[in-house]
Every structure is written in structure tokens, then in C-alpha cells.
Amino acid sequence: MALDELKSAVPDFAKDLKLNLGSVIGNSDLPKQQLWGTVLACAIASRSPKVLRELEPEAKANLSAEAYTAAKSAAAVMAMNNVFYRTRHLLSDPEYGTLRAGLRMNVIGNPGVEKVDFELWSLAVSAINGCGQCLDSHEQVLRKAGVDRETIQEVVKIASVIQAVGVTLDAEAVLAE
């Protein structure tokens, strides 16, 4: 199992990450599609080649072709949106918020999977990319759809652990050179 290989690659000084990785993925109560779509989108968003190489095959094996593509689409569109909306939010001139975005993001309206799943994956990627405006937007859509706070927090925990593992493993790879 790739998850076990990834856990074994985590150095002893980051034992908490190893334990959390097993817990947030291995003991998740999320439905399989929500879990593995989150894992794949977060592995992509982590920008860690090692994390993506280890988690992608298992995600692909646990997702339909449509869900696999949608999770990758969530990571792609949120990579763009998180930069754009975070920047608009951080600029002190409020006029930027009134300007038309003019960016295509059709996949959000028609992701090819249940809207809730895509929103969860988008929220997770937004957590990794640190866009508060996107986090609020996706959280509100999810709450209106009846998703409870515990589910939203579970997705954020997955995002945080995958990101931390990616940072740690990439740093260790650089230090080993």
C-alpha cells in the first residue's frame, strides 16, 4: 500500500505527521469518493512529487474515472482561483473586488461528480493555498447543502496533514543532497 510507504518515509522527528497521516486517511469516516478525491486534490496542491507519486495510484484505484478527473480539476481551478481571490482580498483597494474576474471556471458549475464532493475538494485545496475568501465561499455552499462542520473539518485535517508531509519530505530530500 502506497500510504504505508509514504508513512515509512516520514522521518522520526515528524512522528506526529506519520501517525496523523494514518489516522486522517486510514480511519476516515468520509465516503470513499470524498476521501480519495480529497487525498488526490491535496496531493496535487501540496506540490510534493513524492506525496503525489505515492498517493495518486491508490486514489485512482478508489475513484471512478469521472471522480478522478474532477479531483484533478478541483486542484487545477483552485490553484488559479486561490491566487486570484486571495490577491483581491489582500489588496487594500476595495475597487478590485468590484471588477469582473473574467476567468473561466466552468468546471465549478459542472464538475462531473456530486457538487458536494467537488466543493469539499475545492475547500481542501483552498486550505492548502491559504485563500480565506475561497474557504468562506466553499464552506458556505457546503453548509447550505447540509454538510456538517465535522465533515468540513475532517477534509481540512486531511489537507493539513498531506501538506505537512509534503513539506517535510521535500525538505529532507533537499537536505540529503
Side-chain angles (χ1 to χ4, degrees):
M1 174 190 253
L3 180 58
D4 290 333
E5 293 204 20
L6 190 58
K7 286 179 1 186
S8 71
V10 175
D12 289 340
F13 70 81
K15 182 179 180 183
D16 289 329
L17 297 182
K18 183 183 304 196
L19 296 171
N20 286 331
L21 187 62
S23 172
V24 299
I25 296 175
N27 298 326
S28 177
D29 290 330
L30 291 174
K32 186 168 69 168
Q33 179 167 296
Q34 288 180 358
L35 170 65
W36 287 103
T38 301
V39 168
L40 179 58
C42 290
I44 293 168
S46 78
R47 298 172 185 83
S48 170
K50 172 86 172 157
V51 167
L52 183 55
R53 270 194 299 271
E54 294 298 330
L55 294 177
E56 184 275 341
E58 197 161 350
K60 191 171 191 175
N62 281 287
L63 293 169
S64 67
E66 295 80 12
Y68 178 81
T69 298
K72 292 191 328 180
S73 295
V77 76
M78 295 319 296
M80 174 186 69
N81 284 357
N82 293 155
V83 170
F84 181 80
Y85 288 104
R86 183 177 64 237
T87 299
R88 276 199 348 185
H89 175 73
L90 292 172
L91 289 169
S92 60
D93 183 347
E95 289 297 313
Y96 288 102
T98 67
L99 300 176
R100 184 178 166 280
L103 296 172
R104 293 197 179 273
M105 47 190 101
N106 295 329
V107 71
I108 294 173
N110 187 18
V113 294
E114 293 292 323
K115 181 82 167 145
V116 164
D117 294 356
F118 193 82
E119 289 289 332
L120 284 169
W121 305 336
S122 296
L123 179 122
V125 172
S126 296
I128 289 173
N129 291 334
C131 181
Q133 190 172 358
C134 292
L135 282 166
D136 282 342
S137 175
H138 294 292
E139 189 268 348
Q140 289 170 13
V141 169
L142 288 163
R143 296 292 292 142
K144 284 180 185 171
V147 176
D148 59 37
R149 286 178 179 86
E150 291 78 13
T151 298
I152 292 168
Q153 180 169 293
E154 188 167 350
V155 167
V156 172
K157 288 181 352 185
I158 292 167
S160 66
V161 172
I162 288 175
Q163 173 67 9
V165 168
V167 167
T168 301
L169 294 179
D170 289 354
E172 286 299 287
V174 168
L175 295 173
E177 292 177 353

Short mmCIF file of all heavy atoms in Angstrom, two decimals, residues 8 13-14 36 44 48 55 57 82 112 120 124 151 165:
data_model
loop_
_atom_site.label_atom_id
_atom_site.label_comp_id
_atom_site.label_asym_id
_atom_site.label_seq_id
_atom_site.Cartn_x
_atom_site.Cartn_y
_atom_site.Cartn_z
N SER A 8 6.21 5.40 6.03
CA SER A 8 7.55 4.94 6.39
C SER A 8 8.63 5.92 5.95
O SER A 8 9.73 5.93 6.51
CB SER A 8 7.83 3.55 5.81
OG SER A 8 7.98 3.60 4.42
N PHE A 13 11.62 12.48 13.51
CA PHE A 13 11.33 13.75 14.18
C PHE A 13 9.92 14.26 13.86
O PHE A 13 9.41 15.13 14.55
CB PHE A 13 12.38 14.83 13.84
CG PHE A 13 12.33 15.34 12.43
CD1 PHE A 13 11.42 16.31 12.04
CD2 PHE A 13 13.22 14.85 11.47
CE1 PHE A 13 11.37 16.79 10.74
CE2 PHE A 13 13.19 15.33 10.17
CZ PHE A 13 12.26 16.29 9.80
N ALA A 14 9.30 13.70 12.83
CA ALA A 14 7.94 14.09 12.44
C ALA A 14 6.96 12.94 12.66
O ALA A 14 6.03 12.74 11.90
CB ALA A 14 7.93 14.55 10.98
N TRP A 36 -10.95 9.90 -1.16
CA TRP A 36 -9.86 9.77 -2.12
C TRP A 36 -9.80 10.94 -3.09
O TRP A 36 -8.72 11.29 -3.59
CB TRP A 36 -9.91 8.42 -2.81
CG TRP A 36 -9.46 7.37 -1.83
CD1 TRP A 36 -10.26 6.49 -1.14
CD2 TRP A 36 -8.13 7.18 -1.35
NE1 TRP A 36 -9.49 5.75 -0.27
CE2 TRP A 36 -8.17 6.16 -0.38
CE3 TRP A 36 -6.91 7.76 -1.64
CZ2 TRP A 36 -7.04 5.71 0.28
CZ3 TRP A 36 -5.78 7.32 -0.98
CH2 TRP A 36 -5.85 6.30 -0.03
N ILE A 44 -1.96 16.87 -5.11
CA ILE A 44 -1.58 17.77 -6.20
C ILE A 44 -1.26 19.15 -5.65
O ILE A 44 -0.24 19.75 -5.98
CB ILE A 44 -2.70 17.83 -7.26
CG1 ILE A 44 -2.85 16.48 -7.96
CG2 ILE A 44 -2.43 18.96 -8.27
CD1 ILE A 44 -4.10 16.35 -8.80
N SER A 48 4.22 18.38 -3.84
CA SER A 48 5.28 17.46 -3.48
C SER A 48 5.27 16.26 -4.43
O SER A 48 4.32 15.47 -4.41
CB SER A 48 5.09 16.96 -2.04
OG SER A 48 5.98 15.90 -1.77
N LEU A 55 0.52 8.72 -3.38
CA LEU A 55 -0.92 8.69 -3.12
C LEU A 55 -1.78 8.58 -4.37
O LEU A 55 -2.91 8.08 -4.29
CB LEU A 55 -1.32 9.93 -2.31
CG LEU A 55 -0.75 10.00 -0.89
CD1 LEU A 55 -1.17 11.30 -0.22
CD2 LEU A 55 -1.19 8.80 -0.06
N PRO A 57 -1.73 6.60 -7.14
CA PRO A 57 -2.22 5.30 -7.59
C PRO A 57 -3.37 4.76 -6.74
O PRO A 57 -4.33 4.20 -7.27
CB PRO A 57 -0.99 4.39 -7.48
CG PRO A 57 0.18 5.32 -7.57
CD PRO A 57 -0.28 6.58 -6.88
N ASN A 82 -7.48 30.51 -6.05
CA ASN A 82 -6.91 30.88 -4.77
C ASN A 82 -5.93 32.04 -4.89
O ASN A 82 -5.91 32.94 -4.04
CB ASN A 82 -6.22 29.69 -4.10
CG ASN A 82 -7.16 28.58 -3.68
OD1 ASN A 82 -6.75 27.43 -3.58
ND2 ASN A 82 -8.44 28.88 -3.46
N GLY A 112 -18.84 17.11 -13.01
CA GLY A 112 -18.91 15.70 -13.39
C GLY A 112 -19.11 14.74 -12.24
O GLY A 112 -19.15 13.53 -12.43
N LEU A 120 -16.05 20.03 -1.44
CA LEU A 120 -15.13 19.58 -0.38
C LEU A 120 -13.69 19.59 -0.87
O LEU A 120 -12.79 20.05 -0.17
CB LEU A 120 -15.51 18.18 0.11
CG LEU A 120 -16.72 18.08 1.02
CD1 LEU A 120 -17.12 16.62 1.20
CD2 LEU A 120 -16.46 18.73 2.37
N ALA A 124 -10.60 21.93 0.49
CA ALA A 124 -9.33 21.37 0.96
C ALA A 124 -8.15 22.03 0.26
O ALA A 124 -7.16 22.39 0.90
CB ALA A 124 -9.32 19.86 0.73
N THR A 151 -17.53 17.12 9.09
CA THR A 151 -17.08 16.67 7.78
C THR A 151 -16.14 17.69 7.17
O THR A 151 -15.08 17.33 6.61
CB THR A 151 -18.28 16.41 6.85
OG1 THR A 151 -19.09 15.38 7.43
CG2 THR A 151 -17.85 16.02 5.45
N VAL A 165 3.22 16.67 5.41
CA VAL A 165 4.06 15.54 4.99
C VAL A 165 4.85 15.93 3.74
O VAL A 165 6.05 15.65 3.65
CB VAL A 165 3.20 14.28 4.76
CG1 VAL A 165 4.00 13.20 4.04
CG2 VAL A 165 2.66 13.75 6.08
#
